[in-house]
Amino acid sequence: PLEAFYEESFRLIALRSPETVLPDGLEEYYGVEEPLLDDISLQYQQQTFELVRLILDRFHAYDRQALNPDELITYETYEWYLQDILAMEPFLLYPYPATYFPTTSVPENLVMLFSDYHPLETVQDGRDYVARLHLVDAKLAQLIDGLDARQEQGLLPPAFAIDWEVY
């Protein structure tokens, strides 16, 4: 059924970003089994686009004509959501992940994850917190690889962003 497709496909996309699922309190709901950080490697991001393309292809197999007006609104909204993700693919390297801007900054988002969003109410929360801390070095290595790829393409942050970081 289409409703089950929405649920499962959205779950698959959401699980690509454990750092999003965690503060939303959806780890248990989505069946997250181990504490992880987002994989920001370019390869993983490409795999995410491939997954979304596959989901969109399967989504289009549903008979749009059989939907009532309310179902059609949901269908078109979800279709837009999937297409919007794919529209970002050509610009994968454009957001600069090492600035002060929280919307794109990997370091800033890590700080917020560990200081503001990560629950610390149970012993298991504490264990998960420490497990995630052990993953920070690998994530920062991915960040450096991504910065190197951007530099190879001539994609550098604007001067005012660098000035903010220095001062």
Side-chain angles (χ1 to χ4, degrees):
L2 187 55
E3 288 298 322
F5 179 84
Y6 289 140
E7 181 72 25
E8 182 58 20
S9 61
F10 186 79
R11 178 185 159 280
L12 290 172
I13 294 168
L15 288 175
R16 302 293 289 177
S17 176
E19 291 174 38
T20 301
V21 173
L22 175 69
D24 289 342
L26 297 173
E27 282 192 304
E28 189 173 318
Y29 180 76
Y30 282 145
V32 174
E33 296 178 10
E34 63 182 294
L36 298 170
L37 294 176
D38 286 3
D39 185 333
I40 59 169
S41 68
L42 298 178
Q43 178 183 8
Y44 188 81
Q45 292 177 64
Q46 275 308 132
Q47 291 169 353
T48 301
F49 289 123
E50 291 169 20
L51 172 66
V52 173
R53 252 189 303 284
L54 177 63
I55 289 170
L56 185 60
D57 287 344
R58 290 192 179 167
F59 180 61
H60 284 147
Y62 285 91
D63 183 8
R64 177 187 192 125
Q65 303 304 321
L67 303 175
N68 68 42
D70 288 341
E71 292 169 332
L72 189 57
I73 290 171
T74 303
Y75 181 96
E76 289 177 349
T77 302
Y78 196 62
E79 182 179 44
W80 172 84
Y81 165 72
L82 296 172
Q83 290 171 339
D84 192 52
I85 292 171
L86 293 176
M88 292 186 279
E89 187 174 15
F91 309 101
L92 177 62
L93 295 177
Y94 283 45
Y96 205 78
T99 64
Y100 175 72
F101 304 110
T103 55
T104 60
S105 175
V106 170
E108 290 293 321
N109 285 322
L110 277 173
V111 169
M112 286 190 294
L113 176 73
F114 286 109
S115 65
D116 297 349
Y117 299 136
H118 200 295
L120 287 171
E121 298 172 4
T122 68
V123 171
Q124 188 59 49
D125 289 343
R127 288 185 180 124
D128 291 349
Y129 187 94
V130 171
R132 284 187 176 94
L133 284 174
H134 286 287
L135 301 174
V136 169
D137 285 347
K139 181 158 182 171
L140 293 179
Q142 291 173 345
L143 171 64
I144 291 168
D145 290 345
L147 295 175
D148 289 343
R150 284 168 176 82
Q151 185 174 8
E152 288 172 16
Q153 297 292 317
L155 299 170
L156 300 172
F160 74 88
I162 294 171
D163 288 343
W164 281 8
E165 294 298 318
V166 173
Y167 298 107

